[in-house]
Amino acid sequence: MKSIYIVGVGLIGGSIARDIRCLNPNIKLYGIDKNEAHLETALKLGIIDEKAVLEDVVKAQVVIVAIPVDATVVLLPEILDLIPDEALVMESGSTKLEICNAVAQHPKRRNFMATHPIAGTEFSGPKAAYSGLFKGKVNIICEVEKTAFKFQKVAMAIFNIMGMQIRYMDPASHDKHIAYVSHLSHISAFMLGKTVMEKEKNERDIFDMAGSGFASTVRLAKSSPDMWAPIFQQNKANIIETLEEYIKNLKTFKNFMEANAFDAIYQDMKNTNYIKHILNGKE
Amino acid sequence: MKSIYIVGVGLIGGSIARDIRCLNPNIKLYGIDKNEAHLETALKLGIIDEKAVLEDVVKAQVVIVAIPVDATVVLLPEILDLIPDEALVMESGSTKLEICNAVAQHPKRRNFMATHPIAGTEFSGPKAAYSGLFKGKVNIICEVEKTAFKFQKVAMAIFNIMGMQIRYMDPASHDKHIAYVSHLSHISAFMLGKTVMEKEKNERDIFDMAGSGFASTVRLAKSSPDMWAPIFQQNKANIIETLEEYIKNLKTFKNFMEANAFDAIYQDMKNTNYIKHILNGKE
């Protein structure tokens, strides 16, 4: 590997680039981003060596796409059209089905690997990028059998330096499961933030009373709408299902409250405490 | 101050005790707890100097009550009955109205101060206690005018060593506001944990895909039901109101999803992003 192109030099793309630096200092990293300011920042921070444009991927050995999932669906076929036969293209979106479908019939499908490195923070842009973001985290690879073996090897070398644990999954299962453990958390946090801020309009100083518990629960409400609105759109059916179950559980809780069924509430919480054991190592 | 009695040597009581050590090493700290194992642990960890029983508060100069709010309502009048005229009694519950009402007519009302130090973690028990938990956090004092000035001075010396910022509020306003910024966060996290765990029964390995975002949003679902069920009970009316608003916002979000109104979802998230500025310093 000598020439790696990062399409989208934000938190994810920038952090992958920073890890790749450690793989081999002779690799030349090119950045492509429609946000010129991000590109300048990435250059200044040493995340990339040179700015580039989409057409430059004709010279790429590896292309890593880390942009919102709606843009991925549009750009991915164009990138595959452009790249040489010996190049690998990967993307890192939080949805997999629409993205895999978008390139399913592409003549260079075997040059492509669909991945979801499950890592991130509530921040975005190249300034938020750092080496080590992915260390010990899970990376879901979808339809691995559709990627040529020689390109799998290139991808694995990169994931290895990122320190990721690999899991294999079909795109539909990925989208269904990730709706629960990631997409629903974001909606839950956004709506909590909204509910409290609506209240705050009339009740000054309410946030003086907010402690670290509120901060933790609402943290994901700082996430980028540019990234998340397209995710919600692409994973619509699964997310609606999780939302229905979440709302149902909240309503049951409210009904218990109204009926003074605090024993049932106690038991519900006691059962849910089991999450302690599940979360071990996730924090 | 020489003899301070801590009723409830858990996370909060234990952490207050650890801070008081720094105030004056000559102070003798006594622990009272219905959980004998907790009492032994607190003694072993040096949180308290001696175990005691409730009747011993006849010798107290300060009594700090840090037990679930249902037990506080019962024990507080008994403790006020027992203490000498020159002793201060404080409690640290997450609700204030029922607690203040429970002692409103007590002949020793002026010996009592109602406080809510807004700090904590999702852990409980004396092992979770540490000095510095309250540093820089807000402490809400209710009905300060009902506490004799000489006892206010004693309380302030303790809050000072704990490093707390004092705010004054009436009990009803406290309970109304805290429902939004604390109690609702707990329910939101508990129900998120429940929803995902219900799904996990049928879908193995779903938690392999959980990242730090899920861990943060669901963190409060590890909290103690012994502490939280009574809080929900005492603040029932306010919490039901917050739950209704939260469920309403979640339903609107779901309706937007169903109607493909992703522009509205985008705008909602964009507005809620403002929480960034509010949370500064809360984490």
Side-chain angles (χ1 to χ4, degrees):
Chain A
M1 279 180 280
K2 277 185 294 185
S3 302
I4 300 188
Y5 286 73
I6 309 287
V7 183
V9 293
L11 167 68
I12 299 299
S15 297
I16 295 175
R18 284 202 181 282
D19 281 344
I20 286 173
R21 284 267 179 241
C22 310
L23 181 66
N24 181 346
N26 297 325
I27 289 171
K28 196 145 186 184
L29 286 158
Y30 298 87
I32 298 170
D33 206 303
K34 68 168 186 172
N35 184 328
E36 186 60 31
H38 276 188
L39 216 45
E40 279 298 333
T41 305
L43 193 64
K44 211 174 291 173
L45 294 173
I47 293 173
I48 55 168
D49 299 305
E50 265 182 46
K51 301 193 279 181
V53 293
L54 204 65
E55 289 66 30
D56 294 332
V57 300
V58 295
K59 296 171 284 180
Q61 280 164 318
V62 176
V63 181
I64 295 169
V65 181
I67 55 179
V69 292
D70 53 341
T72 302
V73 166
V74 176
L75 280 191
L76 207 49
E78 295 179 24
I79 291 168
L80 283 173
D81 290 342
L82 288 165
I83 54 152
D85 285 346
E86 293 308 303
L88 161 69
V89 178
M90 298 199 282
E91 57 72 46
S92 55
S94 187
T95 56
K96 293 270 81 60
L97 193 58
E98 274 202 35
I99 289 171
C100 286
N101 285 348
V103 294
Q105 308 304 327
H106 197 284
K108 293 199 195 116
R109 174 64 185 84
R110 291 175 64 72
N111 296 62
F112 169 66
M113 183 180 267
T115 80
H116 182 193
I118 302 177
T121 71
E122 67 275 31
F123 305 111
S124 48
K127 280 184 190 159
Y130 64 94
S131 177
L133 171 64
F134 305 100
K135 203 174 156 62
K137 306 292 171 63
V138 166
N139 191 5
I140 312 276
I141 297 181
C142 290
E143 302 185 330
V144 69
E145 70 288 353
K146 297 193 179 170
T147 309
F149 186 67
K150 62 182 172 185
F151 296 126
Q152 290 182 32
K153 269 172 48 183
V154 175
M156 287 308 163
I158 294 173
F159 298 150
N160 208 28
I161 198 78
M162 290 163 72
M164 302 211 81
Q165 303 175 45
I166 308 300
R167 297 281 182 280
Y168 299 96
M169 203 173 260
D170 67 277
S173 300
H174 168 279
D175 286 7
K176 192 182 165 85
H177 292 183
I178 206 75
Y180 280 90
V181 289
S182 168
H183 303 173
L184 178 60
S185 306
H186 283 80
I187 298 169
S188 148
F190 266 112
M191 291 304 103
L192 177 65
K194 185 184 177 185
T195 305
V196 179
M197 280 169 63
E198 281 170 349
K199 197 66 192 174
E200 206 257 349
K201 277 183 204 155
N202 308 314
E203 310 281 355
R204 285 269 149 234
D205 305 326
I206 190 171
F207 286 109
D208 247 19
M209 301 172 75
S212 57
F214 175 71
S216 166
T217 320
V218 85
R219 178 169 72 86
L220 296 179
K222 301 180 196 170
S223 303
S224 158
D226 293 300
M227 180 178 162
W228 281 94
I231 291 171
F232 297 150
Q233 186 160 12
Q234 285 195 13
N235 206 17
K236 178 178 159 175
N238 288 312
I239 291 173
I240 287 174
E241 186 192 307
T242 68
L243 265 175
E244 274 165 1
E245 292 177 29
Y246 186 52
I247 291 168
K248 189 196 74 193
N249 281 328
L250 284 162
K251 276 187 185 166
T252 304
F253 190 98
K254 185 166 89 78
N255 293 342
F256 282 155
M257 293 272 296
E258 284 163 343
N260 292 315
F262 292 98
D263 287 350
I265 283 176
Y266 181 94
Q267 202 49 54
D268 235 17
M269 288 195 283
K270 198 88 189 162
N271 296 342
T272 306
N273 272 172
Y274 188 75
I275 202 97
K276 283 177 201 174
H277 308 287
I278 292 168
L279 286 178
N280 274 343
K282 293 282 173 205
E283 292 165 293
Chain B
M1 282 179 277
K2 278 184 293 185
S3 303
I4 300 189
Y5 286 73
I6 309 286
V7 184
V9 292
L11 167 67
I12 299 297
S15 296
I16 296 174
R18 284 205 181 279
D19 281 343
I20 287 173
R21 284 266 178 242
C22 309
L23 182 66
N24 182 346
N26 296 326
I27 289 171
K28 197 146 184 184
L29 284 159
Y30 298 88
I32 299 171
D33 206 302
K34 68 169 185 172
N35 183 327
E36 186 60 29
H38 275 188
L39 216 45
E40 280 298 334
T41 304
L43 193 63
K44 210 174 291 173
L45 294 173
I47 292 172
I48 55 169
D49 299 305
E50 265 182 48
K51 299 193 282 180
V53 293
L54 204 66
E55 290 65 30
D56 293 333
V57 300
V58 296
K59 295 171 285 181
Q61 278 163 320
V62 176
V63 182
I64 295 169
V65 181
I67 55 179
V69 293
D70 54 341
T72 302
V73 166
V74 176
L75 280 192
L76 207 50
E78 295 178 25
I79 290 168
L80 284 172
D81 289 345
L82 287 165
I83 53 152
D85 286 345
E86 293 308 303
L88 161 70
V89 178
M90 296 198 283
E91 57 72 48
S92 56
S94 188
T95 56
K96 293 269 80 62
L97 193 59
E98 275 202 35
I99 290 171
C100 285
N101 285 347
V103 294
Q105 307 304 326
H106 197 284
K108 291 200 196 117
R109 175 63 186 85
R110 292 176 63 73
N111 295 61
F112 169 67
M113 183 179 268
T115 80
H116 181 192
I118 302 177
T121 71
E122 67 275 31
F123 305 111
S124 47
K127 279 184 191 159
Y130 64 95
S131 177
L133 171 63
F134 305 101
K135 201 173 158 63
K137 306 293 172 62
V138 166
N139 192 5
I140 313 275
I141 298 180
C142 290
E143 302 185 329
V144 67
E145 69 287 355
K146 296 191 180 171
T147 308
F149 186 67
K150 61 181 172 184
F151 296 126
Q152 290 181 32
K153 268 173 46 184
V154 174
M156 288 307 163
I158 293 172
F159 298 149
N160 209 29
I161 198 76
M162 290 163 72
M164 302 212 81
Q165 302 175 45
I166 307 300
R167 297 280 182 281
Y168 299 97
M169 204 173 260
D170 67 278
S173 300
H174 168 277
D175 286 7
K176 190 184 167 83
H177 292 184
I178 205 75
Y180 280 89
V181 289
S182 168
H183 303 173
L184 178 60
S185 305
H186 282 78
I187 298 169
S188 149
F190 266 112
M191 292 303 104
L192 177 65
K194 185 184 177 186
T195 305
V196 180
M197 281 168 62
E198 281 171 349
K199 196 66 192 173
E200 206 257 347
K201 276 182 206 157
N202 306 314
E203 311 279 357
R204 286 267 149 234
D205 306 324
I206 190 170
F207 286 110
D208 247 19
M209 301 172 73
S212 57
F214 176 70
S216 166
T217 320
V218 85
R219 179 169 71 87
L220 296 178
K222 301 180 195 170
S223 303
S224 160
D226 293 301
M227 179 176 163
W228 281 94
I231 290 171
F232 296 151
Q233 187 160 13
Q234 285 195 13
N235 206 18
K236 178 179 160 175
N238 288 314
I239 291 173
I240 287 174
E241 186 191 308
T242 69
L243 264 174
E244 275 165 359
E245 291 177 29
Y246 186 51
I247 291 169
K248 189 196 74 194
N249 281 328
L250 283 162
K251 276 188 185 164
T252 304
F253 190 98
K254 186 166 89 76
N255 293 343
F256 282 155
M257 292 273 296
E258 284 163 342
N260 292 315
F262 292 99
D263 287 352
I265 284 176
Y266 182 94
Q267 201 49 54
D268 235 18
M269 289 195 282
K270 198 88 191 161
N271 296 341
T272 308
N273 273 171
Y274 187 75
I275 202 99
K276 283 177 201 175
H277 309 287
I278 292 168
L279 286 177
N280 274 342
K282 293 282 173 204
E283 292 164 290

